[in-house]
Amino acid sequence: MATSLTRFEDALVDHDCDVTRTSVAEFDGALADAVREPAVGVALDDQDLSLPAAVETDPTPAQLQAAASGVTPVAFAVADHGTVAIPSTATAVEPVSLYPDRHVAVVREAQVVPDTDAAFDELGPVLAGERDSVIMATGPSATGDMGALVQGVHGPSEVHVVVVESEVTQS
C-alpha cells in the first residue's frame, strides 16, 4: 500500500511538477538544484532549514517581477491531489509563489495529509488569527479558456516541490 508521501509525489508527477525528496542534511544542495536565479523567497520558519543567501527575502516589486524562481514554505500538502497549501502571511508569500515562472515549494514529510478530509481538518488552524486566506495550488498554473491548454498564464508555469524527509531517531 502506498504511503501518503508516495501518493503525494506520484500526484505531483501526474501534474507535471518536479519533485525532489531529500534529508535535512542534504536540503541545501537539493534546494540549490531546484532554484533558478534570480530568486525571491519567504523565510522557511524552520530551525533546520534555511534559504541560500542568493534568494532575496525582502524583494522590491522589480525584483519580484524579474525573479525566475519563488521559494515558499507551505502550511500542509494533500497527498491525493498533489496540492500544496500556501497561507496568506505578512511576509507576502502569495506573490512569491505566484509571480515567478518557477515556484519552489518546501514541504516537510510530516506536513503531507492523505486526503481532502484531512486537508479541511488542517485549514482551521491555518486560517486562525491574522491569516485570512490560503492558496491551494495543484501543479503549474493552466488555462484552456481560449482553446488549447496554456501553462503559466495566471501563475507559475513550473512547480518544483522539495520534500524534506522526517528524521528517523535511533532508539
Side-chain angles (χ1 to χ4, degrees), residues 6-47:
T6 302
R7 289 194 330 270
F8 177 60
E9 291 171 328
D10 290 347
L12 288 168
V13 171
D14 288 347
H15 290 295
D16 296 325
C17 299
D18 295 323
V19 60
T20 301
R21 189 188 300 196
T22 189
S23 65
V24 170
E26 299 296 323
F27 174 76
D28 291 343
L31 185 62
D33 290 345
V35 171
R36 294 192 187 123
E37 293 183 20
V40 294
V42 175
L44 300 178
D45 296 328
D46 189 313
Q47 65 182 0

Side-chain angles (χ1 to χ4, degrees), residues 92-153:
V93 70
E94 302 97 323
V96 170
S97 71
L98 294 172
Y99 290 146
D101 287 335
R102 182 177 185 85
H103 176 215
V104 179
V106 177
V107 177
R108 282 286 198 155
E109 180 178 355
Q111 293 177 296
V112 179
V113 300
D115 53 32
T116 304
D117 288 339
F120 279 111
D121 291 341
E122 293 290 323
L123 279 173
V126 170
L127 294 174
E130 295 179 21
R131 297 179 178 148
D132 59 358
S133 67
V134 174
I135 296 169
M136 301 296 283
T138 305
S141 167
T143 185
D145 291 350
M146 302 300 288
L149 187 66
V150 178
Q151 289 185 331
V153 175

Side-chain angles (χ1 to χ4, degrees), residues 80-94:
D80 284 352
H81 302 288
T83 298
V84 294
I86 305 161
S88 171
T89 66
T91 54
V93 70
E94 302 97 323

